[in-house]
Amino acid sequence: MTTAGGTPLFLLEFGDIVISFTPYTTSLFILALVFTLLVIASRPERQLDIAFGTDAYMTKEISLSEMRFRRFMAIACGLASMGAVVTGDLFDFCLFTALVGICNVGIVAAVKSRHVQNAAYQYGLVALAATVLLFGGSAMVAATTGTLSLPILATGTLPAVPLAVKAFIVIGVMGEGMAPFYAAKAEMFRAPGAPYVIMCSLSSLLIFLRVIEVVVQL
Amino acid sequence: MIGDLLYLIFAMIFGLLLLGIHRKVIARIQRRPGPPVWQEILHALKFSFKSTWIPQTASDTLFVSVVLIAIGIWTAAFFVVLAGGNLLIIFGIYMLHKIVEHGFGLSSGSPYGKFGGVRSVISAASEIPLFVSVAAVVIFTGSLEIGDIVAWQEQAGPLILAVFPAALAMYVVILSKFPFSPFSIVESKEIVSGYKTEHFGVWRAGLEACNGLKTYVLLLTFIAVFFGPLPFLLILLAMILITVSISFICAFSPMLSPFDSVTIQTLFTGLMLIYVVYLGVYG
């Protein structure tokens, strides 16, 4: 059985849910794992800001309680990303993707900055709206083919999934933080705490890379 | 094994040489003498022996590990291309380079690095044309494996003739990653050196080596996917020719503002998406 990501190196079965490690998904999984370990091991940087019109500059410090909360959300985001890139079930993929969106908001939720909070709120609205397309697309795949299992869908023996349904799923994932919807998210990167903020862009990128494989084999 | 490692080192050095040729051609077009073509190799060597430090404000672990990740992902990409592996993995690694730029920029705490990193994130539209290239190639060859795509071209001729817009899309993607290109807003001079401002000494040498390898891998992928199997020397010659063509574009085009850069890339992405939908329906 060959999928768009290559021949599976091994399959991990949980009942009827199969976790599929192809060369492609394994590469993405390793990257998500490496960055999650970095989140655990790294301390946040102290961001410098120049006071406009003067020679002065300020250093932003992150309090311990804020750091703990954001690190927890970043680790949760890493775990959700790992789940999204290796799952062999379309519904689970959508679920992990929605979880990534929630965690992204959580990563910056404790930052005490009006700009960051506004950006997180707007991004949250876009991500929330995107889940409708995401789960709607997933439901339509089930209605068309009778299954949500990605390895079975990749066999090509089932009825073809309409192009509009594939577009629903892709737009749903894009709503979780890819172009052009990242515009809502860009201000979130003003927040200090590089190891945690970086998970916001990494997780969106990983789920976008995975959805390409998913859509190609539908 | 040793042969592969030697080839990897050669690829890094040749990639740096290509970047040196790039600078030289731009300078000559602009009637400047320019640096010698091996200047980028000298840069990498020079930084290897310079004093190395980590800024006091930096996130130490991220600051250092992002250099290793950069070298790691492009080394992996190099071996995937050599093994004729999956094109999606190359696509993924290319997109993940954005995270590396982001990590470089944000980890130091410097506002210049931060601006470079944030600019890298907002120019995310520049990667989508690569996806269009991949989709067009799959529609024609029926495979995502580079080995299969090269074999297909042995039978049917170079793919560039069949899907010229897709080749153009990948060419623009490569252009956007070259220094001094109209789209290289992540390292423009008003933010010093952008995302790499604070990485000095050995860290910068690692980044330079990664840039050399990245250039080689992207050009090798472009040639393998759109021109098919070529003798080794002809591949190197094709790399030089593509680099010179990119240098001409860079020499004649000003660097765009971040807003214009993103707008043009988004428009180009839209056109390419229409092309691939057309191919999918009528191709």
Side-chain angles (χ1 to χ4, degrees):
Chain A
M1 177 185 59
T2 302
T3 66
T7 309
L9 303 171
F10 69 96
L11 299 169
L12 193 59
E13 293 182 21
F14 291 105
D16 59 344
I17 294 174
V18 178
I19 294 179
S20 161
F21 286 89
T22 64
Y24 182 61
T25 58
T26 307
S27 309
L28 300 183
F29 179 82
I30 290 170
L31 279 160
L33 182 64
V34 166
F35 275 92
T36 308
L37 293 175
L38 268 178
V39 166
I40 295 169
S42 305
R43 294 186 69 80
E45 88 288 6
R46 283 174 295 150
Q47 225 176 51
L48 286 175
D49 254 359
I50 298 163
F52 188 72
T54 70
D55 292 334
Y57 61 86
M58 303 165 286
T59 309
K60 293 179 188 168
E61 300 280 351
I62 298 180
S63 67
L64 191 63
S65 58
E66 182 186 325
M67 189 191 89
R68 280 184 180 150
F69 178 74
R70 294 178 66 195
R71 187 167 57 192
F72 168 74
M73 293 309 296
I75 293 168
C77 188
L79 292 174
S81 306
M82 280 186 249
V85 295
V86 292
T87 183
D89 185 277
L90 189 58
F91 180 78
D92 285 353
F93 171 75
C94 296
L95 207 57
F96 282 125
T97 302
L99 189 55
V100 163
I102 295 164
C103 291
N104 278 350
V105 175
I107 287 171
V108 293
V111 179
K112 293 170 186 67
S113 156
R114 181 187 292 269
H115 299 293
V116 173
Q117 293 293 325
N118 278 342
Y121 174 68
Q122 286 162 9
Y123 166 70
L125 290 179
V126 175
L128 196 66
T131 54
V132 177
L133 294 174
L134 203 57
F135 285 100
S138 166
M140 285 184 217
V141 170
T144 316
T145 63
T147 182
L148 285 166
S149 166
L150 292 171
I152 295 173
L153 287 164
T155 57
T157 53
L158 299 169
V161 174
L163 194 60
V165 175
K166 293 181 183 181
F168 271 21
I169 296 171
V170 173
I171 296 169
V173 168
M174 285 166 78
E176 303 295 332
M178 282 304 296
F181 301 111
Y182 63 79
K185 198 178 179 181
E187 285 285 309
M188 282 161 59
F189 299 120
R190 286 169 72 124
Y196 318 133
V197 172
I198 211 169
M199 279 308 290
C200 293
S201 46
L202 178 80
S203 55
S204 301
L205 212 53
L206 288 174
I207 55 172
F208 183 71
L209 289 171
R210 180 72 209 281
V211 81
I212 289 166
E213 190 215 14
V214 169
V215 166
V216 165
Q217 65 195 21
L218 279 181
Chain B
M1 180 70 180
I2 291 172
D4 286 343
L5 279 177
L6 287 176
Y7 187 26
L8 178 72
I9 293 165
F10 168 79
M12 274 183 192
I13 294 171
F14 193 77
L16 287 169
L17 188 68
L18 289 172
L19 293 174
I21 292 171
H22 177 61
R23 285 186 66 185
K24 185 73 174 177
V25 173
I26 291 176
R28 295 306 298 140
I29 292 169
Q30 294 170 346
R31 296 186 176 180
R32 293 184 285 114
V37 290
W38 49 82
Q39 186 61 49
E40 297 298 316
I41 300 170
L42 296 181
H43 262 155
L45 288 173
K46 180 187 77 178
F47 279 121
S48 306
F49 301 108
K50 285 260 184 187
S51 64
T52 298
W53 74 86
I54 298 173
Q56 227 175 4
T57 53
S59 167
D60 304 11
T61 315
L62 187 64
F63 187 85
V64 175
S65 51
V66 80
V67 180
L68 303 177
I69 291 171
I71 297 172
I73 60 172
W74 286 106
T75 304
F78 175 74
F79 285 115
V80 169
V81 179
L82 281 195
N86 199 303
L87 201 53
L88 272 182
I89 297 179
I90 303 294
F91 175 59
I93 286 173
Y94 180 84
M95 289 195 84
L96 283 162
H97 184 74
K98 192 160 282 302
I99 302 298
V100 168
E101 288 176 348
H102 196 188
F104 265 101
L106 293 195
S107 63
S108 65
S110 155
Y112 303 113
K114 186 179 80 171
F115 283 130
V118 171
R119 281 187 181 188
S120 170
V121 173
I122 64 163
S123 58
S126 67
E127 274 73 32
I128 313 291
L130 190 58
F131 169 57
V132 173
S133 291
V134 173
V137 167
V138 173
I139 288 169
F140 268 81
T141 63
S143 176
L144 278 164
E145 302 293 319
I146 295 172
D148 293 345
I149 295 164
V150 171
W152 185 90
Q153 291 177 96
E154 265 181 321
Q155 305 293 323
L159 204 51
I160 191 169
L161 301 175
V163 284
F164 181 74
L168 183 67
M170 190 163 173
Y171 181 83
V172 172
V173 165
I174 294 172
L175 168 70
S176 69
K177 281 291 170 211
F178 258 73
F180 315 110
S181 91
F183 306 111
S184 61
I185 54 172
V186 293
E187 50 187 79
S188 65
K189 287 300 163 199
E190 76 268 18
I191 48 172
V192 193
S193 293
Y195 70 92
K196 52 188 180 186
T197 301
E198 298 295 338
H199 280 78
F200 271 92
V202 136
W203 319 127
R204 185 62 162 268
L207 178 62
E208 295 290 331
C210 160
N211 280 341
L213 189 58
K214 181 185 73 179
T215 306
Y216 190 91
V217 170
L218 285 177
L219 291 172
L220 184 62
T221 309
F222 182 75
I223 292 165
V225 170
F226 291 108
F227 291 92
L230 292 177
F232 183 65
L233 286 177
L234 215 53
I235 290 176
L236 298 185
L237 182 66
M239 282 182 181
I240 293 172
L241 290 176
I242 294 167
T243 303
V244 170
S245 72
I246 287 173
S247 308
F248 267 83
I249 297 171
C250 295
F252 287 114
S253 318
M255 190 176 290
L256 298 168
S257 69
F259 178 81
D260 290 337
S261 172
V262 173
T263 306
I264 291 175
Q265 283 174 338
T266 306
L267 285 174
F268 187 71
T269 300
L271 285 174
M272 286 297 138
L273 282 172
I274 292 169
Y275 169 69
V276 87
V277 168
Y278 170 80
L279 269 188
V281 176
Y282 300 107

